[in-house]
Short mmCIF file of all heavy atoms in Angstrom, two decimals:
data_model
loop_
_atom_site.label_atom_id
_atom_site.label_comp_id
_atom_site.label_asym_id
_atom_site.label_seq_id
_atom_site.Cartn_x
_atom_site.Cartn_y
_atom_site.Cartn_z
N ARG A 828 -4.98 2.22 -3.94
CA ARG A 828 -6.18 2.26 -3.09
C ARG A 828 -6.52 0.87 -2.56
O ARG A 828 -6.96 0.72 -1.42
CB ARG A 828 -7.34 2.85 -3.88
CG ARG A 828 -7.19 4.35 -4.11
CD ARG A 828 -8.44 4.98 -4.71
NE ARG A 828 -8.47 4.88 -6.16
CZ ARG A 828 -9.28 4.11 -6.85
NH1 ARG A 828 -10.17 3.36 -6.21
NH2 ARG A 828 -9.25 4.09 -8.17
N GLN A 829 -6.29 -0.15 -3.36
CA GLN A 829 -6.55 -1.51 -2.89
C GLN A 829 -5.64 -1.87 -1.72
O GLN A 829 -6.08 -2.48 -0.73
CB GLN A 829 -6.33 -2.49 -4.05
CG GLN A 829 -6.65 -3.94 -3.69
CD GLN A 829 -6.43 -4.88 -4.87
OE1 GLN A 829 -5.86 -4.49 -5.88
NE2 GLN A 829 -6.87 -6.10 -4.74
N VAL A 830 -4.37 -1.47 -1.79
CA VAL A 830 -3.43 -1.74 -0.70
C VAL A 830 -3.81 -0.95 0.54
O VAL A 830 -3.78 -1.46 1.66
CB VAL A 830 -1.99 -1.40 -1.15
CG1 VAL A 830 -1.03 -1.44 0.04
CG2 VAL A 830 -1.52 -2.38 -2.22
N LEU A 831 -4.18 0.32 0.37
CA LEU A 831 -4.52 1.17 1.52
C LEU A 831 -5.70 0.61 2.31
O LEU A 831 -5.76 0.76 3.54
CB LEU A 831 -4.86 2.58 1.03
CG LEU A 831 -3.68 3.49 0.69
CD1 LEU A 831 -4.15 4.76 0.02
CD2 LEU A 831 -2.89 3.82 1.96
N PHE A 832 -6.64 -0.04 1.65
CA PHE A 832 -7.81 -0.55 2.34
C PHE A 832 -7.73 -2.06 2.59
O PHE A 832 -8.75 -2.71 2.85
CB PHE A 832 -9.08 -0.20 1.55
CG PHE A 832 -9.43 1.26 1.65
CD1 PHE A 832 -8.90 2.18 0.76
CD2 PHE A 832 -10.24 1.73 2.67
CE1 PHE A 832 -9.20 3.53 0.86
CE2 PHE A 832 -10.55 3.07 2.78
CZ PHE A 832 -10.03 3.99 1.87
N SER A 833 -6.52 -2.61 2.49
CA SER A 833 -6.32 -4.00 2.91
C SER A 833 -6.26 -4.05 4.44
O SER A 833 -5.93 -3.05 5.09
CB SER A 833 -5.03 -4.56 2.31
OG SER A 833 -3.91 -3.84 2.78
N PRO A 834 -6.58 -5.19 5.07
CA PRO A 834 -6.71 -5.24 6.54
C PRO A 834 -5.46 -4.79 7.29
O PRO A 834 -5.54 -4.00 8.23
CB PRO A 834 -7.03 -6.71 6.81
CG PRO A 834 -7.70 -7.19 5.55
CD PRO A 834 -7.03 -6.44 4.44
N ASP A 835 -4.27 -5.28 6.89
CA ASP A 835 -3.05 -4.95 7.63
C ASP A 835 -2.75 -3.46 7.58
O ASP A 835 -2.33 -2.86 8.58
CB ASP A 835 -1.85 -5.72 7.06
CG ASP A 835 -1.90 -7.19 7.41
OD1 ASP A 835 -2.71 -7.55 8.29
OD2 ASP A 835 -1.14 -7.98 6.82
N VAL A 836 -2.95 -2.84 6.44
CA VAL A 836 -2.62 -1.43 6.29
C VAL A 836 -3.71 -0.55 6.89
O VAL A 836 -3.42 0.44 7.57
CB VAL A 836 -2.40 -1.09 4.79
CG1 VAL A 836 -2.10 0.40 4.62
CG2 VAL A 836 -1.26 -1.93 4.22
N LEU A 837 -4.98 -0.90 6.68
CA LEU A 837 -6.08 -0.05 7.13
C LEU A 837 -6.30 -0.15 8.64
O LEU A 837 -6.36 0.87 9.34
CB LEU A 837 -7.36 -0.42 6.38
CG LEU A 837 -8.61 0.38 6.75
CD1 LEU A 837 -8.44 1.84 6.35
CD2 LEU A 837 -9.85 -0.23 6.08
N ARG A 838 -6.40 -1.37 9.16
CA ARG A 838 -6.76 -1.54 10.56
C ARG A 838 -5.54 -1.54 11.48
O ARG A 838 -5.58 -0.98 12.58
CB ARG A 838 -7.55 -2.84 10.75
CG ARG A 838 -8.81 -2.94 9.89
CD ARG A 838 -9.75 -1.79 10.12
NE ARG A 838 -10.89 -1.81 9.20
CZ ARG A 838 -11.65 -0.76 8.95
NH1 ARG A 838 -11.42 0.39 9.57
NH2 ARG A 838 -12.65 -0.85 8.09
N GLU A 839 -4.47 -2.20 11.03
CA GLU A 839 -3.28 -2.32 11.89
C GLU A 839 -2.33 -1.15 11.75
O GLU A 839 -1.34 -1.06 12.48
CB GLU A 839 -2.55 -3.62 11.57
CG GLU A 839 -3.40 -4.89 11.68
CD GLU A 839 -3.91 -5.10 13.08
OE1 GLU A 839 -3.21 -4.69 14.05
OE2 GLU A 839 -5.03 -5.64 13.23
N LYS A 840 -2.58 -0.27 10.77
CA LYS A 840 -1.72 0.90 10.53
C LYS A 840 -0.27 0.50 10.25
O LYS A 840 0.67 1.19 10.64
CB LYS A 840 -1.77 1.86 11.73
CG LYS A 840 -3.14 2.32 12.16
CD LYS A 840 -3.76 3.24 11.13
CE LYS A 840 -5.00 3.92 11.69
NZ LYS A 840 -6.03 3.03 12.18
N GLN A 841 -0.09 -0.61 9.54
CA GLN A 841 1.25 -1.08 9.20
C GLN A 841 1.69 -0.56 7.84
O GLN A 841 0.86 -0.24 6.97
CB GLN A 841 1.31 -2.61 9.20
CG GLN A 841 1.10 -3.23 10.58
CD GLN A 841 1.28 -4.72 10.56
OE1 GLN A 841 1.40 -5.33 9.51
NE2 GLN A 841 1.29 -5.33 11.74
N ASN A 842 3.02 -0.52 7.64
CA ASN A 842 3.54 -0.12 6.33
C ASN A 842 3.13 -1.15 5.28
O ASN A 842 3.09 -2.35 5.55
CB ASN A 842 5.07 -0.05 6.35
CG ASN A 842 5.59 0.98 7.33
OD1 ASN A 842 4.86 1.88 7.74
ND2 ASN A 842 6.85 0.85 7.71
N SER A 843 2.85 -0.65 4.10
CA SER A 843 2.64 -1.57 2.99
C SER A 843 3.99 -2.05 2.46
O SER A 843 5.04 -1.50 2.82
CB SER A 843 1.89 -0.87 1.85
OG SER A 843 2.76 0.05 1.19
N GLY A 844 3.96 -3.05 1.62
CA GLY A 844 5.16 -3.37 0.86
C GLY A 844 5.37 -2.31 -0.21
O GLY A 844 4.56 -1.39 -0.37
N VAL A 845 6.45 -2.44 -0.95
CA VAL A 845 6.72 -1.49 -2.03
C VAL A 845 5.81 -1.82 -3.21
O VAL A 845 5.78 -2.95 -3.68
CB VAL A 845 8.20 -1.53 -2.45
CG1 VAL A 845 8.44 -0.65 -3.66
CG2 VAL A 845 9.09 -1.08 -1.30
N ILE A 846 5.06 -0.82 -3.67
CA ILE A 846 4.13 -0.99 -4.79
C ILE A 846 4.82 -0.47 -6.05
O ILE A 846 5.14 0.72 -6.14
CB ILE A 846 2.83 -0.21 -4.56
CG1 ILE A 846 2.24 -0.56 -3.18
CG2 ILE A 846 1.82 -0.50 -5.66
CD1 ILE A 846 1.12 0.38 -2.75
N GLU A 847 5.04 -1.34 -7.01
CA GLU A 847 5.68 -0.93 -8.27
C GLU A 847 4.59 -0.53 -9.26
O GLU A 847 3.89 -1.37 -9.81
CB GLU A 847 6.53 -2.06 -8.85
CG GLU A 847 7.28 -1.65 -10.10
CD GLU A 847 8.20 -2.73 -10.64
OE1 GLU A 847 8.39 -3.75 -9.92
OE2 GLU A 847 8.69 -2.59 -11.76
N LEU A 848 4.46 0.78 -9.50
CA LEU A 848 3.45 1.28 -10.42
C LEU A 848 3.93 1.26 -11.86
O LEU A 848 3.13 1.14 -12.79
CB LEU A 848 3.04 2.70 -10.03
CG LEU A 848 2.43 2.85 -8.63
CD1 LEU A 848 2.04 4.29 -8.38
CD2 LEU A 848 1.22 1.94 -8.47
N SER A 849 5.22 1.40 -12.05
CA SER A 849 5.84 1.33 -13.37
C SER A 849 7.32 1.02 -13.13
O SER A 849 7.79 1.08 -11.98
CB SER A 849 5.67 2.64 -14.14
OG SER A 849 6.38 3.69 -13.51
N PRO A 850 8.07 0.67 -14.16
CA PRO A 850 9.49 0.32 -13.94
C PRO A 850 10.29 1.42 -13.25
O PRO A 850 11.30 1.12 -12.62
CB PRO A 850 10.00 0.07 -15.36
CG PRO A 850 8.81 -0.38 -16.12
CD PRO A 850 7.66 0.41 -15.56
N ASP A 851 9.86 2.68 -13.35
CA ASP A 851 10.64 3.76 -12.73
C ASP A 851 9.86 4.51 -11.64
O ASP A 851 10.25 5.61 -11.26
CB ASP A 851 11.11 4.76 -13.80
CG ASP A 851 9.93 5.43 -14.51
OD1 ASP A 851 8.79 5.00 -14.27
OD2 ASP A 851 10.17 6.37 -15.29
N THR A 852 8.80 3.92 -11.12
CA THR A 852 8.03 4.58 -10.05
C THR A 852 7.57 3.54 -9.04
O THR A 852 6.87 2.59 -9.39
CB THR A 852 6.80 5.32 -10.61
OG1 THR A 852 7.21 6.26 -11.61
CG2 THR A 852 6.06 6.04 -9.50
N MET A 853 7.98 3.74 -7.77
CA MET A 853 7.60 2.84 -6.69
C MET A 853 7.02 3.67 -5.55
O MET A 853 7.40 4.83 -5.35
CB MET A 853 8.80 2.03 -6.20
CG MET A 853 9.36 1.08 -7.23
SD MET A 853 10.77 0.14 -6.58
CE MET A 853 11.10 -0.95 -7.97
N LEU A 854 6.14 3.03 -4.79
CA LEU A 854 5.44 3.73 -3.72
C LEU A 854 5.35 2.83 -2.50
O LEU A 854 5.14 1.63 -2.62
CB LEU A 854 4.02 4.09 -4.21
CG LEU A 854 3.30 5.28 -3.59
CD1 LEU A 854 4.00 6.57 -4.00
CD2 LEU A 854 1.86 5.33 -4.08
N ALA A 855 5.54 3.41 -1.32
CA ALA A 855 5.26 2.71 -0.07
C ALA A 855 4.29 3.59 0.72
O ALA A 855 4.47 4.81 0.80
CB ALA A 855 6.54 2.48 0.73
N VAL A 856 3.23 2.99 1.27
CA VAL A 856 2.18 3.78 1.91
C VAL A 856 1.91 3.25 3.32
O VAL A 856 2.20 2.11 3.65
CB VAL A 856 0.87 3.76 1.09
CG1 VAL A 856 1.07 4.41 -0.27
CG2 VAL A 856 0.35 2.33 0.92
#
């Protein structure tokens, strides 16, 4: 949620970097 509401992702509609939630789970939003 912090990444989703960062300026580049929220206002510019750009891809986030890869978010590593755990060693075996990654997310890009």
Side-chain angles (χ1 to χ4, degrees):
R828 288 189 274 110
Q829 183 180 11
V830 170
L831 281 171
F832 287 88
S833 63
D835 287 347
V836 178
L837 179 65
R838 303 304 174 198
E839 304 299 329
K840 305 291 192 304
Q841 294 185 352
N842 299 340
S843 72
V845 174
I846 308 168
E847 184 176 350
L848 299 181
S849 66
D851 62 352
T852 304
M853 296 181 176
L854 206 68
V856 296

